[in-house]
Amino acid sequence: MAATIRDVAQASGVHVSTVSRTFSAPHLVNAETRTRVLAVAEDLGYRPNRAARALTTGRTHNLGLIVADISNPFFPPLIKAAQAHARTRDYHVFVADTDEDPLVEEELIQTLTKQVDGVLLCSPRLSNRAIERLHADVPFVVVNRRVKGMPTVLMDVRYGARLAIDHLTGLGHRRIALLSGPSGSWTSKEMHETAAAAGGVDLVIIGPNAPTEEGGLAVAAEVIASGATGVLAYNDLVAIGLIEGLYERGVQVPADISVVGVDDIVAGRLNRPKLTTVAMPTAAAGRMAVDLLLQSVDDGGAATLATLATSLVVRESTGQARA
Amino acid sequence: MAATIRDVAQASGVHVSTVSRTFSAPHLVNAETRTRVLAVAEDLGYRPNRAARALTTGRTHNLGLIVADISNPFFPPLIKAAQAHARTRDYHVFVADTDEDPLVEEELIQTLTKQVDGVLLCSPRLSNRAIERLHADVPFVVVNRRVKGMPTVLMDVRYGARLAIDHLTGLGHRRIALLSGPSGSWTSKEMHETAAAAGGVDLVIIGPNAPTEEGGLAVAAEVIASGATGVLAYNDLVAIGLIEGLYERGVQVPADISVVGVDDIVAGRLNRPKLTTVAMPTAAAGRMAVDLLLQSVDDGGAATLATLATSLVVRESTGQARA
DNA sequence: GACAATGATGCAACCGCTTGCACTAATGTG
DNA sequence: CACATTAGTGCAAGCGGTTGCATCATTGTC
């Protein structure tokens, strides 16, 4: 049985309130008493029970982070950055995976509600309405989705997509295929709109697709049939899968078709050919999200919108279009 | 302000204890009362506060899962399986990443201690002694490491490594390089011992290496210099990195050198050449770990040891040795 | 030397929920 | 019909902390 605050109080001959203050408001207790209490606590292996503390303070010092699919390599850097950053603020981040299921997502949020001070919602699959409703119970910050009235961290997908398309057209590609993502994806919609707005390109939309290698692999034939020579994929995973599919069909990248991905995951750098991609500032997004969330927890929270810059990383999967 | 049990009690004209029982021991309350209370609760948007409940019951219905590096694709399937399986038992699992840092790992465990009923320690970097010490505070189950007196889930690395080496020697490879993992790794040690015990092979050990693509990439030259024609890599990531490094130096896989990985991650199936690998039953391990942990939480816990079978998946990265 | 200010500690209520025990009324038994 | 069960509910004491307020020395001030 772990030592409680009362054990420490008794063993050090002071009242529990003094022990409590020794930990949560040290300046209120006499230096001498404090060291004695700390010594006893150390001796007994006492550690304040955060859950019990949360009951009275209303602060758990925990944050929840919800992602749709933890195996998507896009998320881990974000998660790690968020955890590391939160730790510097004496907060801990618990991660949960919804398995792309909105129901699980909602259930998870409700479970989390009382156990954390706020939740980071990354690429949520829930409807905006559902998010707004749940927001009544716990502070949110949403990453990769625009929900009005809520702190939001966005990455500048439009700009990135624009760079990618300009890069492709600059290489002489006129017919460009856009491999979209899952149907509910905000990022995918942004890409669509950007591509549609780009002048002088002959656009074919292929999808929606699963945001995975399999998703890209599955549409290789369709891409070939479309006659496009340039492809902008929903993300790197899709791009990698596509390249593999094209390869299996004897189509060379970038000789025959140029492919650009989105995210800049590690695997892209090790792919053959190395992937040209729109780099997303995932780590920065993770930190920013934690900042906004903590601010929102403390101040009651303004609905700040942070948009992070993206950039194009040109590697080997794109090249001059055939004459 | 969220509704509490008292609000519900008052609004439905019963005592708080009745409301409490409505949720945690429904059979003890009259059907009629129960429906009325539930209706009021629904109406007020009341949800029991799990943290408060945990204070009296001593059960949070949460599990912690600690991994060294969430971006290692080996873990996500394990995590997902554990989460899904735990959910069927009305438990939730929170994931935390230690960033390969034993100090962070220890700190995380201590934070978790009071907030979860048990912790899944996956490929821990902590010393056995430290693990045993911390075990006094919270039930553990250890995955991928043998710690005596503790429930443990192991994958049969020795058998897998044996299969890989037999496969390689069967193809005529006599000189085999073993790319080891991080120095503290139990898996790596198992592989060493198995390889050393295998007769008729000329073994070169290269490492320790980071368990990542970069780790494999970095030793390509060394592998070539070693004169080995067969390689068993610590994991698929290392194997993929190595293959990339060999390719950059004009060495063909499997024509010149055969490579086998360990884990069977998705990326291995999409690599070029597709990776021959020792498949690890990660999802099964996740489920098993949850089972053992829950059992340990309930029964006080026997120190069961579960060893899961591994198998060899032969794909394209291994071939006949040069004459 | 009287009095106010200050610093350190104790007291006790409370956070939201559970649970052993006591109580009442309805039911079953001989 | 007396009595033992049983079902349903209320009571109140916790679980492990925090915190506003009261108390009591000390110290400083005029």
Side-chain angles (χ1 to χ4, degrees):
Chain A
M1 203 57 49
T4 82
I5 200 173
R6 280 170 239 276
D7 299 329
V8 177
Q10 182 159 13
S12 49
V14 298
H15 194 263
V16 291
S17 56
T18 301
V19 178
S20 173
R21 281 188 275 258
T22 302
F23 288 92
S24 46
H27 61 278
L28 289 182
V29 23
N30 181 288
E32 207 170 305
T33 320
R34 191 193 320 158
T35 49
R36 182 157 41 92
V37 170
L38 285 176
V40 172
E42 169 74 30
D43 200 45
L44 265 49
Y46 167 76
R47 303 187 67 84
N49 180 327
R50 300 182 128 219
R53 171 180 295 180
L55 205 49
T56 52
T57 60
R59 286 275 182 286
T60 62
H61 268 243
N62 289 145
L63 262 25
L65 167 36
I66 297 191
V67 299
D69 178 12
I70 210 174
S71 39
N72 182 336
F74 170 78
F75 291 114
L78 192 156
I79 295 172
K80 283 175 166 259
Q83 295 203 124
H85 193 59
R87 184 158 32 245
T88 69
R89 304 277 236 266
D90 195 25
Y91 267 79
H92 284 272
V93 175
F94 295 133
V95 182
D97 180 313
T98 68
D99 236 350
E100 302 271 0
D101 184 341
L103 264 55
V104 173
E105 187 170 339
E106 177 156 8
E107 187 197 322
L108 235 30
I109 292 175
Q110 291 180 336
T111 304
L112 242 33
T113 293
K114 286 292 170 230
Q115 317 198 47
V116 301
D117 298 340
V119 175
L120 300 171
L121 234 43
C122 299
S123 310
R125 298 293 184 245
L126 239 31
S127 70
N128 277 15
R129 198 164 55 257
I131 293 177
E132 276 159 19
R133 178 165 42 77
L134 290 164
H135 187 43
D137 298 334
V138 62
F140 283 149
V141 21
V142 183
V143 179
N144 260 349
R145 164 98 146 245
R146 190 140 169 66
V147 183
K148 95 178 166 223
M150 229 164 277
T152 305
V153 177
L154 260 28
M155 317 205 202
D156 200 338
V157 180
R158 295 181 107 95
Y159 181 70
R162 181 78 222 190
L163 288 178
I165 289 173
D166 287 352
H167 171 61
L168 252 16
T169 56
L171 289 168
H173 298 278
R174 305 284 306 153
R175 191 169 172 79
I176 294 178
L178 178 62
L179 304 194
S180 34
S183 48
S185 164
W186 175 85
T187 304
S188 192
K189 199 161 43 135
E190 293 281 295
M191 287 171 64
H192 278 193
E193 289 171 12
T194 308
V201 292
D202 186 7
L203 190 69
V204 282
I205 309 265
I206 298 178
N209 305 293
T212 60
E213 285 105 329
E214 284 80 359
L217 200 58
V219 292
E222 198 173 339
V223 167
I224 295 171
S226 77
T229 62
V231 177
L232 173 55
Y234 173 68
N235 68 16
D236 287 351
L237 252 24
V238 171
I240 290 171
L242 171 67
I243 290 174
E244 177 63 19
L246 294 177
Y247 175 81
E248 285 174 0
R249 288 171 174 74
V251 175
Q252 300 294 319
V253 174
D256 301 318
I257 292 184
S258 287
V259 177
V260 8
V262 173
D263 283 356
D264 194 21
I265 65 176
V266 174
R269 282 198 282 278
L270 289 149
N271 196 61
R272 217 143 63 223
K274 297 193 201 314
L275 199 61
T276 293
T277 188
V278 177
M280 300 289 241
T282 46
R287 283 188 292 271
M288 176 66 83
V290 168
D291 280 340
L292 290 188
L293 187 53
L294 254 29
Q295 184 181 321
S296 161
V297 167
D298 291 340
D299 309 11
T304 322
L305 165 67
T307 302
L308 273 25
T310 55
S311 61
L312 184 71
V313 182
V314 177
R315 288 197 276 248
E316 305 167 353
S317 66
T318 47
Q320 207 70 34
R322 282 261 162 78
Chain B
M1 204 58 49
T4 83
I5 201 174
R6 276 173 247 279
D7 300 328
V8 177
Q10 183 159 13
S12 49
V14 298
H15 194 263
V16 290
S17 56
T18 301
V19 178
S20 172
R21 281 188 277 256
T22 301
F23 287 94
S24 45
H27 62 277
L28 288 181
V29 23
N30 180 286
E32 207 171 305
T33 319
R34 192 195 317 157
T35 49
R36 182 157 41 94
V37 170
L38 285 176
V40 172
E42 169 73 29
D43 199 46
L44 266 49
Y46 168 76
R47 302 189 66 83
N49 181 327
R50 300 182 129 220
R53 169 180 297 180
L55 204 49
T56 52
T57 60
R59 286 275 183 287
T60 62
H61 269 242
N62 288 145
L63 262 24
L65 192 161
I66 296 190
V67 299
D69 178 12
I70 209 176
S71 40
N72 183 335
F74 170 78
F75 291 112
L78 192 156
I79 295 173
K80 281 173 168 265
Q83 295 201 128
H85 193 60
R87 185 158 30 244
T88 69
R89 304 277 238 265
D90 195 26
Y91 267 80
H92 283 271
V93 3
F94 295 132
V95 182
D97 179 314
T98 68
D99 235 352
E100 301 271 0
D101 184 340
L103 265 55
V104 174
E105 188 171 339
E106 176 154 9
E107 187 197 322
L108 234 31
I109 293 175
Q110 290 180 336
T111 303
L112 241 34
T113 292
K114 286 292 170 228
Q115 318 199 47
V116 300
D117 297 339
V119 175
L120 301 170
L121 235 42
C122 299
S123 309
R125 298 294 184 245
L126 240 31
S127 70
N128 278 16
R129 196 161 58 259
I131 293 177
E132 276 158 19
R133 177 164 43 76
L134 291 164
H135 187 44
D137 299 334
V138 61
F140 281 152
V141 21
V142 184
V143 179
N144 260 351
R145 164 99 145 243
R146 190 142 167 64
V147 183
K148 95 177 160 212
M150 229 164 277
T152 305
V153 177
L154 260 28
M155 318 204 200
D156 200 340
V157 180
R158 295 181 107 97
Y159 180 69
R162 182 77 222 191
L163 287 179
I165 289 172
D166 288 352
H167 171 61
L168 253 15
T169 56
L171 288 168
H173 298 278
R174 306 285 305 153
R175 190 168 173 79
I176 293 177
L178 177 63
L179 304 194
S180 36
S183 46
S185 165
W186 175 85
T187 304
S188 192
K189 198 162 44 138
E190 292 282 296
M191 288 172 63
H192 278 194
E193 289 171 13
T194 307
V201 292
D202 185 8
L203 191 69
V204 283
I205 306 266
I206 298 178
N209 304 294
T212 59
E213 286 106 331
E214 284 81 359
L217 199 59
V219 293
E222 198 173 340
V223 167
I224 296 171
S226 77
T229 62
V231 178
L232 173 55
Y234 173 68
N235 67 16
D236 286 350
L237 253 23
V238 171
I240 290 172
L242 171 67
I243 291 175
E244 177 63 18
L246 294 177
Y247 173 82
E248 285 173 0
R249 287 171 175 74
V251 175
Q252 299 295 320
V253 175
D256 302 318
I257 292 184
S258 287
V259 176
V260 10
V262 173
D263 283 355
D264 193 21
I265 64 176
V266 174
R269 280 199 283 278
L270 287 150
N271 195 61
R272 218 144 62 223
K274 298 193 200 318
L275 200 61
T276 293
T277 189
V278 177
M280 301 289 242
T282 46
R287 283 188 293 270
M288 176 67 82
V290 167
D291 280 339
L292 291 188
L293 187 52
L294 253 29
Q295 184 182 320
S296 160
V297 167
D298 291 340
D299 309 9
T304 322
L305 166 66
T307 302
L308 272 26
T310 54
S311 62
L312 184 71
V313 181
V314 178
R315 288 197 275 249
E316 306 168 352
S317 66
T318 48
Q320 208 66 36
R322 279 264 161 77

